[in-house]
Amino acid sequence: MITTDFVPGSPCWLDLGAPDVRAAAAFYGTVLGWEYESMGEGEDMEGGMFRKDGKIVAGLGKLTEEGARSAWMIYFSVPDADATTQAVERAGGTVRVAPMDLDDWGRMAQYSDPSGGQFAVWQPGTNKGAELVDDPGSLSWTELYTSDAAAAKEFYGGVFGWQFNDMELPGGGGTYSLITPAGLPEERMHGGLMELPEENLALTNGRPYWHPVFAVADCDATVSKVTGNGGSVQMGPEDAEGVGRLAVCLDPSNADFVVLTPVRS
């Protein structure tokens, strides 16, 4: 589970780069019940925050990088963004955005892993991260799809100290690796890693990619909102034993995310 204490290596924030901020705000507002709070609009700045029940759950900004696809960026909490940057470079990763301060909120940096998977880190200042997680309408899990699970484990394990626990998926579906922050018990798992053939990574032309999993009260009803508002479904809805009912979705700009109604304990 993801919690808001945001220990080192745990997901703490996410934001969406969208070609049309207003359209994205309307889509996620309808699908996930989010309220959009603009932080200013103009040629140089267009974006803001999403809130659920008054609490900040994610960010939204204008996609400006040449040739980039619309996608969710997941940030992992670190005590020292500069030290993490050095660890990324030692492990063969690439710095996309060098560590930079965002006023007194905190310090951020963005990277690519050695296979091209993009991710980011957040060194908290006055802002620790999202104010709501693991509830309907908020981040509840993170996933990496990659064509080389062993290489991903070596890289992310070296950078964040993550612990991995492999499980075989039913029906010969392959191996799914569960991710837990360094030194914490398995109930603090925050994500998973899945190896897929490059041809199954069409969204990124074969490169690995991270995506968020959002908890929802009713997976099927949420999927209907996705497809009814210009989005599409790559997989599901379907039941995953011991996990819940889920679907892999694309928003109207093809940013991918998963919606999950977890099993009741």
Side-chain angles (χ1 to χ4, degrees):
M1 64 183 296
I2 297 175
T3 63
T4 55
D5 62 356
F6 301 134
V7 298
S10 67
C12 64
W13 181 246
L14 73 163
D15 55 35
L16 173 67
D20 187 330
V21 167
R22 292 179 183 176
F27 174 81
Y28 287 97
T30 300
V31 170
L32 295 175
W34 288 350
E35 297 178 353
Y36 176 62
E37 182 179 292
S38 175
M39 294 183 68
E41 297 182 5
E43 290 186 4
D44 298 326
M45 179 178 180
E46 185 176 351
M49 302 291 181
F50 284 118
R51 292 182 182 269
K52 176 69 174 177
D53 300 329
K55 296 181 178 180
I56 295 174
V57 292
L60 172 62
K62 180 78 171 179
L63 185 66
T64 57
E65 186 176 344
E66 187 73 26
R69 76 178 185 99
S70 183
W72 284 98
M73 179 69 71
I74 297 174
Y75 293 71
F76 300 97
S77 186
V78 296
D80 187 331
D82 295 271
T84 301
T85 297
Q86 294 173 8
V88 166
E89 292 178 320
R90 284 195 303 269
T94 302
V95 179
R96 300 181 63 250
V97 178
M100 59 183 291
D101 292 323
L102 297 180
D103 295 325
D104 60 351
W105 293 350
R107 191 164 172 81
M108 61 82 70
Q110 294 184 359
Y111 315 106
S112 293
D113 67 27
S115 298
Q118 297 181 0
F119 67 104
V121 298
W122 179 252
Q123 176 186 329
T126 59
N127 189 310
K128 308 300 181 186
E131 296 173 349
L132 182 70
V133 295
D134 213 38
D135 276 353
S138 67
L139 181 69
S140 65
W141 193 252
T142 60
E143 281 187 329
L144 173 66
Y145 289 169
T146 178
S147 60
D148 192 337
K153 289 179 185 178
E154 182 177 359
F155 173 78
Y156 290 102
V159 170
F160 293 119
W162 286 346
Q163 305 165 112
F164 299 97
N165 181 30
D166 293 346
M167 59 177 286
E168 295 303 315
L169 297 176
T175 302
Y176 191 85
S177 300
L178 300 164
I179 303 170
T180 306
L184 292 187
E186 288 186 0
E187 56 261 29
R188 289 298 305 271
M189 291 183 297
H190 65 247
L193 183 158
M194 180 73 183
E195 182 170 298
L196 296 171
E198 285 191 10
E199 56 267 27
N200 288 7
L201 304 176
L203 279 178
T204 53
N205 298 315
R207 290 186 291 105
Y209 59 92
W210 286 94
H211 61 212
V213 178
F214 298 118
V216 294
D218 186 328
C219 179
D220 293 74
T222 303
V223 166
S224 293
K225 292 177 182 177
V226 169
T227 56
N229 288 275
S232 59
V233 179
Q234 288 190 303
M235 184 190 78
E238 63 181 41
D239 294 318
E241 184 179 353
V243 176
R245 189 161 177 81
L246 58 85
V248 181
C249 304
L250 298 175
D251 71 15
S253 297
N254 285 336
D256 56 302
F257 61 99
V258 176
V259 293
L260 167 69
T261 301
V263 292
R264 292 184 175 90
S265 56

